[in-house]
Amino acid sequence: MRDVMLLLPEIGAVAAVLAVMLADLWLPKERKGTLSALAIAASVVLLALTFVPPVAQGGHAFGGSFLVDGMALLLKRAFCVTAFLVFLMSREYVAELPRGQGEFYTLGLAALTGMFLCASVNDFMSLFVSLELVTVSFFVLAAFKRDSKLSVEAGLKLLVIGSISAALLLYGIAFVYGATGTVMFGVLASDGSTFENGLRTQAAAGTLVLSPELQLGLFLIFLGLGFKTSAVPLHVWVPDVYQGAPTPVTAYLSVGSKLAGFALMFRLLEVVSRAAPVAAALTPFLALVAALTLFYGNLGAIPQTNIKRLLGYSSIGQCGYVLLGIAAASELGLAWALFYLCAYVVTNLTVFAVIIWVARATKSHDIDDYSGLARTNPLLGTALTVGLLSLAGVPPFIGLVGKFFLVGSAFQKGDTLRWLVYVGLANVVIALYYYLCVVKRIWMRDARTAVAPAVPLRMKVALAAGIVALIVGGIAPQFLDRVTASAAAGAGIVGTTAR
Amino acid sequence: MDPLTLLVVVPLVAAGVVALAPARAEKAIRGVAIGAGGITLGIAAWLFRLALTEGSAGLAAFSAGIPRRAWVESVGITWSVSADGMTVAMVLLNALVLFTGCLVSSHAIRDRVKEFFVLFLALGAGVFGVFVVRDMFFMYFAFELAVVPMYLLIGCWGSPKDRDYAAMKLTLYLTAGALVALVGILMLYFRTWDFLGHPSFHLDDVIRAADAGRFDNGFQLTAFAFLFLGFAAIIPMWPMHTWSPIGHAAAPAAGSMMHAGVLMKLGSYAILRVAFPTCPAGAAHWLPWVAVIAMANIVYGGYVAMAQKDIKYVIGFSSSSHMGYTLLGIASVTVMGVSGAVFLMFAHGVMTALCFGLIGFFYDQTHTRKIEDLGGLAHQMPFVGTCFAIATMASAGVPGFANFVSEFMVMLGAWEAGYTVQAVIAVFGVVITAVYLLRALANVFFRARKERWDALADARGPFQRAPFVVLIGVLLFFGFWPRPLTRVIEAGVEPLVAKVQAAQAALDVGSADDGAHRGEDR
């Protein structure tokens, strides 16, 4: 029974999926708007469920294959906030869709269920299943505008690259299983004892050497997860899908799906950090991926003219910064990766909220159509500016603090990762350039059209709250930091000061 | 809340109030901004008085009485402020420029008044932050906070011709500089973490680690190089100076005042504040090179200024030329030279704010800054012409102005430190300065009356004249009676200089030993 109680948020999420599905069947066409309210309410209730005592206390369930700890709870709450904000900003957008309002919310909540599971999985089999639950929901969501070529293309791209990544992931899992004889993280992690099957003892030197099959398996798993987090080399879908998918889906994808991928990376990192040779073998690989991801995302963003594509590349770049913390594989790195992602949820969703509402007026995602936004609608203009500058890592916004210490965590690793620090810092300047190019249009150009985007009161409050959150979080990061630092400490990365 | 924290908080709160005010309430917005500037000026004056009456011991006691407030415990960020003589001078400068900048903009800025003052006040808060905090994280934070509003200030209210390019160049250069310095900061931070056993960005902790000998020479050489190069981009040191004149030229009047007046001083201030006490051996090793590069600033900057056809570019390049004296003063590592450099930062800040305020005043009416188009403006604007003449005299180092005193101190310091060649070149630099400034003055304000400028209005009424009168008053006051300010600055600079001098002596002994050994080998 206790096992079931631990699963309360997941059970609630499934119930919400079913409730929306049934309500969609029963509601008459003109009252479909209730579905949106239902989905928004569901995300609030699910958030409340993560605070219910048996869940909040945490623990293992189902023979250790399901785990609720500080990190899992934090991530689940972040997922709830994500879903809440996405449903909140997409109400009108979805209401204007010709068909499938019910499906939109059903699939959105199904993806949320998958994300919940991703935060708590503790073995490779559940990892794969939960990840696929998220991915499959997004295949459909991305192709939601059936009559738009771009949207269908986006869905297809996501499907193809997603399948490749799933194949890599499974192949990697098979190798790890072959090398260690288990699929359980928990068993793997216990002071590396099970790793010993995969670690060959070199008799002469008496040192442990990583067996090639375990090494290959872990590489493949991290590559496969890179698909979700938009890390090189499985990032290629990002710009096209971001551009083609309906904007609320892009928003959801850019935050929720990415966070789910990182949740699994964090979990695996905790596992591998218990066996020093394994971690040592992974570090250069992850560092290389981080550097390539940073450069690809930030350089690729420069020539873009479509804001959704630009944010696609920017999201690749942002992923690179989190990978800095993962490559560092230290408590500092993990804590600030969590911090950065929580900040990223609010920042990126603020940006996408503006994009949804500007596009409703201008019917365009062309960056030039953001010209003069600060004059035509100061709130939207300010919110977008604040969001983009926070992504750029500029004070007094929250993005700065996260970037500062992610770079710091790579610095802490000493000479081996020093080059990565320089890469990270160089990319701050590159990123600042293209974010400022958008800011330039918002503030320093005259509006192209006379249409002034209008927003309902609900969005005004949400946008103002977003701006305040980004500023307060930047000036006083200690509140979020306490939460993320304790979550990271609970996750127990070993070998923090390996310098 | 202690007065130093208030210096940061008051402009920020004013910015917040202005941001929430309706855009139509322009009068109220100007009032809030000028009021906030006035309050900071009051605090700065109070601080100056404290430094005068109680000396450095009084300042130290005052700073010690301000508690360190833990901010982000997990990584050792604290909100901690303190003031020494250097701080007092710089805070006074920033308050003066912020206040006069608000006054100047209150009639110069007509479009998007609200947005302008939000950004301008945020910029002022950032600069105050760099000057008062003792925590390296907040120093970086405040520095970037001062850079980014500049982008929008130039881009939105600057002169249309070159503002896009100038704004982007300035922002990227300064951010890149700050990031290079950040590498140095992180080096110090993690070494200090090792030493203390817990993380801390507090400069006192870092200096404790340095004094305990945890920063070996090799480490100091690298860390100082990063810190110096990063911050020197802001000074701006040749050849990293190219962002500066174009940035000055494109910015609106108050923007250039702030930018040339105080923003550029953040670099030299941060070098003295962070790099000197933590890496004295690094300073002793690298500064002789800086003394050479400073010559490039003085001479090259001066010659380039001579060739300019745009009055704002003339002043812009003259700034980078003047900053050469600051660099030379810092490189001399004598109490005389370094306090001369700090005094020059103050004097140049006031002088250049005056220049840009005046140029902005007539540019808003003429819409051209080309020297050949202008001419004879003193006929139409006698008051502005007189003020500009005074400003150029000050800039050219005429006795009676604070600039003369400070430059003279720098030269004495350089001579004392044995940089005799540099001191001679620096004197020669004053001649170059006189040439281009006097020529610009003559071509813009004197010569025959031009009818096309007959419609120009002079500065009228106390409100328009006040900022210029205040700035000239300050220059003259400290020109005739520099002792109060130099005494305050010297007290702040002395311990920093003593550290680097000790490191120099150690290096000399080391190289002398090497020489002796080599001699024995032979």
Side-chain angles (χ1 to χ4, degrees):
Chain A
M1 189 59 204
R2 209 184 136 271
D3 284 9
V4 177
M5 289 302 278
L6 268 184
L7 236 71
L8 218 48
E10 284 77 8
I11 295 171
V14 173
V17 171
L18 295 175
V20 173
M21 207 186 273
L22 290 177
D24 184 36
L25 289 178
W26 283 326
L27 281 172
K29 196 156 191 191
E30 62 275 9
R31 292 190 51 209
K32 296 280 188 198
T34 321
L35 293 174
S36 148
L38 201 60
I40 293 173
S43 49
V44 176
V45 172
L46 292 177
L47 180 63
L49 279 182
T50 62
F51 288 96
V52 171
V55 182
Q57 279 159 13
H60 289 270
F62 304 119
S65 69
F66 187 85
L67 169 71
V68 178
D69 59 1
M71 189 166 79
L73 283 172
L74 175 69
L75 289 166
K76 281 180 192 179
R77 286 164 194 161
F79 289 133
C80 288
V81 172
T82 306
F84 172 77
L85 292 174
V86 169
F87 294 147
L88 191 72
M89 70 175 84
S90 50
R91 184 186 165 99
E92 280 78 0
Y93 189 99
V94 176
E96 284 164 16
L97 287 175
R99 62 180 93 76
Q101 293 189 37
E103 284 84 344
F104 182 90
Y105 294 111
T106 313
L107 288 167
L109 286 166
L112 181 64
T113 316
M115 293 173 199
F116 273 3
L117 289 168
C118 284
S120 277
V121 292
N122 206 24
D123 70 66
F124 282 111
M125 285 299 105
S126 339
L127 177 151
F128 184 72
V129 176
S130 356
L131 200 63
E132 286 307 288
L133 181 53
V134 181
T135 314
V136 171
S137 309
F138 275 113
F139 292 156
V140 187
L141 282 171
F144 214 71
K145 285 175 144 179
R146 268 187 281 165
D147 37 5
S148 149
K149 259 191 195 165
L150 283 176
S151 179
V152 175
E153 187 197 324
L156 194 64
K157 270 217 170 109
L158 200 58
L159 179 73
V160 172
I161 313 278
S163 312
I164 294 173
S165 86
L168 288 176
L169 194 63
L170 271 182
Y171 201 38
I173 292 173
F175 271 113
V176 171
Y177 178 73
T180 63
T182 177
V183 289
M184 300 293 289
F185 295 172
V187 187
L188 273 179
S190 54
D191 74 332
S193 55
T194 331
F195 269 133
E196 285 187 8
N197 299 329
L199 297 169
R200 283 201 205 119
T201 314
Q202 224 158 35
T207 50
L208 294 173
V209 177
L210 197 58
S211 77
E213 52 273 29
L214 182 59
Q215 196 167 351
L216 180 63
L218 286 169
F219 284 174
L220 288 173
I221 290 172
F222 270 96
L223 271 185
L225 290 177
F227 162 74
K228 298 254 62 148
T229 64
S230 63
V232 168
L234 284 178
H235 63 285
V236 283
W237 58 277
V238 174
D240 293 331
V241 173
Y242 273 41
Q243 183 186 6
T247 316
V249 175
T250 310
Y252 202 13
L253 194 65
S254 76
V255 176
S257 166
K258 182 183 291 244
L259 200 51
F262 276 122
L264 295 170
M265 278 199 185
F266 294 152
R267 197 58 82 191
L268 280 179
L269 196 66
E270 172 203 344
V271 175
V272 294
S273 74
R274 311 252 163 124
V278 185
L282 269 177
T283 299
F285 164 72
L286 288 173
L288 183 67
V289 170
L292 291 176
T293 308
L294 279 168
F295 273 124
Y296 188 94
N298 290 320
L299 291 176
I302 291 175
Q304 299 308 320
T305 56
N306 179 300
I307 188 115
K308 281 164 83 181
R309 278 189 87 81
L310 178 106
L311 284 168
Y313 281 101
S314 128
S315 124
I316 299 175
Q318 301 289 334
C319 161
Y321 281 101
V322 183
L323 284 174
L324 285 186
I326 292 183
S330 60
E331 202 175 306
L332 190 72
L334 179 60
W336 287 96
L338 279 171
F339 180 98
Y340 196 74
L341 285 170
C342 290
Y344 179 74
V345 167
V346 182
T347 315
N348 227 33
L349 289 181
T350 307
V351 170
F352 271 106
V354 175
I355 289 172
I356 290 178
W357 287 90
V358 169
R360 278 174 65 80
T362 61
K363 309 280 176 239
S364 145
H365 292 294
D366 200 340
I367 295 179
D368 283 329
D369 283 321
Y370 285 76
S371 299
L373 187 63
R375 275 186 208 270
T376 52
N377 189 328
L379 179 65
L380 285 178
T382 310
L384 188 53
T385 308
V386 168
L388 291 176
L389 289 180
S390 180
L391 287 176
V394 154
F397 310 116
I398 197 164
L400 167 96
V401 198
K403 254 182 207 178
F404 191 103
F405 287 103
L406 282 175
V407 171
S409 71
F411 197 99
Q412 195 185 24
K413 294 296 272 190
D415 292 336
T416 46
L417 285 189
R418 195 53 55 82
W419 63 275
L420 191 58
V421 171
Y422 302 138
V423 170
L425 293 178
N427 274 281
V428 171
V429 182
I430 303 173
L432 186 60
Y433 171 74
Y434 65 80
Y435 289 124
L436 283 181
C437 282
V438 182
V439 172
K440 175 166 80 184
R441 290 187 175 81
I442 299 173
W443 288 86
M444 307 174 196
R445 295 281 182 275
D446 292 325
R448 270 181 159 189
T449 49
V451 249
V455 278
L457 182 66
R458 184 184 86 247
M459 287 313 295
K460 279 185 188 158
V461 173
L463 287 172
I467 295 173
V468 170
L470 294 183
I471 294 177
V472 171
I475 292 177
Q478 59 268 46
F479 304 110
L480 181 55
D481 172 61
R482 261 173 225 147
V483 178
T484 52
S486 69
I493 291 276
V494 183
T496 40
T497 47
R499 270 187 302 143
Chain B
M1 205 178 281
D2 59 277
L4 294 177
T5 306
L6 273 182
L7 280 176
V8 184
V9 170
V10 167
L12 277 185
V13 168
V17 170
V18 171
L20 294 178
R24 256 173 277 117
E26 293 184 359
K27 255 195 169 157
I29 288 170
R30 293 190 184 111
V32 170
I34 293 172
I39 294 174
T40 58
L41 188 56
I43 298 173
W46 176 84
L47 209 60
F48 183 56
R49 204 184 136 262
L50 180 80
L52 268 187
T53 49
E54 318 223 341
S56 57
L59 277 180
F62 162 73
S63 301
I66 303 172
R68 268 194 211 189
R69 212 165 289 149
W71 204 251
V72 184
E73 282 131 356
S74 68
V75 285
I77 300 174
T78 52
W79 177 258
S80 146
V81 289
S82 77
D84 64 1
M86 220 161 59
T87 318
V88 172
M90 289 296 107
V91 161
L92 190 61
L93 168 68
N94 188 37
L96 273 170
V97 177
L98 185 67
F99 179 64
T100 50
C102 285
L103 280 179
V104 165
S105 324
S106 68
H107 57 85
I109 300 295
R110 296 261 163 249
D111 180 37
R112 294 203 265 192
V113 174
K114 169 177 154 169
E115 287 88 342
F116 178 87
F117 280 110
V118 171
L119 294 168
F120 192 64
L121 289 166
L123 167 62
V127 176
F128 274 128
V130 177
F131 289 147
V132 299
V133 294
R134 285 294 280 175
D135 183 281
M136 294 190 301
F137 175 82
F138 269 117
M139 200 176 252
Y140 176 79
F141 186 96
F143 179 83
E144 274 289 304
L145 183 59
V147 169
V148 174
M150 210 55 205
Y151 177 75
L152 287 171
L153 283 175
I154 295 178
C156 291
W157 293 273
S159 57
K161 201 179 72 187
D162 36 25
R163 63 187 179 191
D164 273 21
Y165 177 73
M168 189 64 89
K169 185 165 187 175
L170 176 140
T171 315
L172 295 187
Y173 250 80
L174 294 195
T175 303
L179 291 170
V180 172
L182 179 63
V183 176
I185 290 179
L186 286 174
M187 285 179 78
L188 299 179
Y189 171 65
F190 284 111
R191 270 287 163 105
T192 311
W193 189 340
D194 279 352
F195 169 69
L196 295 171
H198 63 84
S200 170
F201 277 102
H202 200 286
L203 260 180
D204 290 351
D205 290 334
V206 181
I207 293 169
R208 253 174 54 211
D211 289 346
R214 293 303 286 258
F215 300 169
D216 52 87
N217 276 4
F219 174 84
Q220 286 193 33
L221 290 195
T222 325
F224 186 86
F226 274 112
L227 289 168
F228 186 87
L229 280 179
F231 289 130
I234 295 121
I235 290 181
M237 184 175 80
W238 183 89
M240 300 182 280
H241 65 286
T242 56
W243 62 272
S244 165
I246 187 168
H248 288 89
S256 327
M257 288 170 72
M258 205 65 181
H259 166 191
V262 280
L263 207 60
M264 284 168 38
K265 278 71 184 175
L266 297 182
S268 23
Y269 179 84
I271 288 170
L272 289 172
R273 178 61 75 223
V274 179
F276 261 52
T278 55
C279 307
H285 181 266
W286 290 114
L287 285 178
W289 295 97
V290 175
V292 176
I293 295 177
M295 293 308 103
N297 263 68
I298 294 176
V299 177
Y300 177 83
Y303 273 115
V304 176
M306 233 185 252
Q308 297 307 311
K309 297 189 165 59
D310 178 324
I311 179 76
K312 263 196 163 182
Y313 276 93
V314 175
I315 309 296
F317 277 103
S318 99
S319 284
S320 63
S321 165
H322 279 111
M323 287 304 107
Y325 293 92
T326 308
L327 281 170
L328 180 60
I330 291 174
S332 76
V333 198
T334 54
V335 175
M336 177 68 87
V338 177
S339 38
V342 176
F343 192 21
L344 178 62
M345 281 151 66
F346 177 84
H348 177 262
V350 175
M351 180 278 295
T352 201
L354 177 62
C355 273
F356 281 117
L358 292 163
I359 294 175
F361 190 86
F362 69 75
Y363 173 71
D364 283 340
Q365 304 181 52
T366 59
H367 299 290
T368 178
R369 298 179 314 237
K370 270 200 176 156
I371 296 176
E372 56 178 350
D373 291 347
L374 302 162
L377 289 187
H379 294 283
Q380 291 90 356
M381 330 176 109
F383 179 81
V384 171
T386 313
C387 291
F388 197 80
I390 294 172
T392 42
M393 294 298 153
S395 182
V398 171
F401 294 101
N403 304 61
F404 165 75
V405 183
S406 54
E407 281 174 17
F408 194 61
M409 283 169 74
V410 167
M411 289 166 201
L412 286 181
W415 191 277
E416 190 186 328
Y419 296 126
T420 41
V421 180
Q422 277 93 334
V424 171
I425 296 177
V427 174
F428 176 65
V430 176
V431 181
I432 305 178
T433 314
V435 171
Y436 63 76
L437 278 176
L438 295 180
R439 210 168 60 182
L441 172 70
N443 288 339
V444 172
F445 281 98
F446 301 128
R447 306 259 156 98
R449 182 189 189 110
K450 283 190 181 171
E451 277 170 19
R452 82 184 262 215
W453 303 127
D454 275 354
L456 299 191
D458 197 8
R460 282 198 199 91
F463 201 63
Q464 289 192 351
R465 290 183 176 187
F468 308 130
V469 173
V470 168
L471 293 174
I472 291 174
V474 171
L475 282 180
L476 284 172
F477 178 82
F478 289 117
F480 279 98
W481 195 38
R483 195 60 198 141
L485 194 57
T486 51
R487 209 179 66 202
V488 168
I489 292 172
E490 271 165 20
V493 159
E494 233 162 0
L496 301 175
V497 172
K499 263 208 176 130
V500 182
Q501 279 176 342
Q504 267 177 344
L507 275 189
D508 288 346
V509 170
S511 51
D513 280 354
D514 284 352
H517 287 308
R518 245 175 271 138
E520 279 165 22
D521 288 345
R522 263 188 240 128

